[in-house]
Amino acid sequence: MLVGYARTSTAEQAAGLHAQVRDLKNVVGCEKIFSEQVSSVGQRSQLIAALDFVREGDTLVVTRLDRLARSTSHLLSLVEQLDGKGVALRILDFGGGEVDTKSPSGRMLLTVFAAMAQFEREVMLQRQREGILAAKAAGKYKGRAPTAREKSEDVLALKARSVGASSIARQIGISRASVYRILGNSA
């Protein structure tokens, strides 16, 4: 059985999620698809459900590697878990081609390319840190603009006048979660 897994990180990427599901159904013919909108570092309940669902002889299919794993070690852990159940992994868009762990060459390619992808990400993050340090040294980077902390007094004043959290958030221009955080910290 072909079992699909689709994921996007944010609601803004909903079109990407729909495209993944469409490709898994129409292009590949997955009989069952698990999909979710959650960050790769968050609790991915649908991935867990897909891993629980697959049985020996099945193939777990994803459109791209980054939809499944966040690091080489995470990927290899998932592949090992799938192997233990007798399940193959198939990635449709893997650097222009497709990879399937049913073959030894597919497993090797997956490991090599996953390591390269993680290396690329780490290099990009290092360059980002270096750029931030250079901008700070030049006085051009001040960091993220403070929001809720500077508005704590306004939040507390409005709450003292029995204004509701949603109304406070709207009036001050911060999120409702920030309002609750301020109110919780002041208690």
Side-chain angles (χ1 to χ4, degrees):
M1 174 183 228
L2 295 176
V3 178
Y5 174 71
R7 181 190 65 81
T8 57
S9 298
T10 64
E12 290 82 29
Q13 298 171 331
L17 185 63
H18 295 304
Q20 288 177 57
V21 170
R22 180 197 63 225
D23 289 348
L24 291 169
K25 276 184 186 171
N26 300 336
V27 176
V28 182
C30 289
E31 298 171 53
K32 176 91 171 146
I33 297 176
F34 296 84
S35 66
E36 59 192 338
Q37 288 182 335
V38 64
S39 167
S40 66
V41 295
Q43 178 69 13
R44 296 189 287 166
S45 61
Q46 291 300 298
L47 176 58
I48 293 167
L51 294 172
D52 287 342
F53 179 82
V54 291
R55 300 288 179 253
E56 186 173 351
D58 290 349
T59 299
L60 181 65
V61 184
V62 294
T63 57
R64 292 190 345 246
L65 177 61
D66 65 343
R67 302 298 85 204
L68 179 65
R70 60 184 166 270
S71 67
T72 304
S73 60
H74 183 233
L75 173 66
L76 295 177
S77 170
L78 289 171
V79 170
E80 186 176 317
Q81 185 178 353
L82 291 169
D83 270 353
K85 294 180 82 170
V87 175
L89 173 64
R90 181 174 166 195
I91 302 167
L92 301 180
D93 183 3
F94 198 74
E98 187 177 306
V99 71
D100 192 330
T101 63
K102 285 181 185 173
S103 71
S105 60
R107 292 180 62 84
M108 191 257 324
L109 278 174
L110 180 69
T111 304
V112 170
F113 283 122
M116 289 174 57
Q118 183 173 345
F119 172 74
E120 269 183 29
R121 175 150 174 74
E122 289 171 2
V123 167
M124 183 269 307
L125 291 172
Q126 178 62 36
R127 287 184 184 145
Q128 181 183 32
R129 285 189 293 273
E130 290 169 357
I132 289 171
L133 288 173
K136 283 181 179 179
K140 296 180 180 179
Y141 182 85
K142 308 261 188 283
R144 188 172 149 198
T147 54
R149 276 182 253 136
E150 291 183 348
K151 300 179 181 186
S152 294
E153 290 178 17
D154 297 333
V155 169
L156 295 172
L158 287 169
K159 187 61 180 172
R161 293 190 344 223
S162 298
V163 177
S166 295
S167 186
I168 293 172
R170 233 182 346 270
Q171 289 178 36
I172 296 178
I174 61 175
S175 71
R176 211 173 59 200
S178 294
V179 171
Y180 286 123
R181 194 173 310 110
I182 292 167
L183 294 174
N185 289 337
S186 68

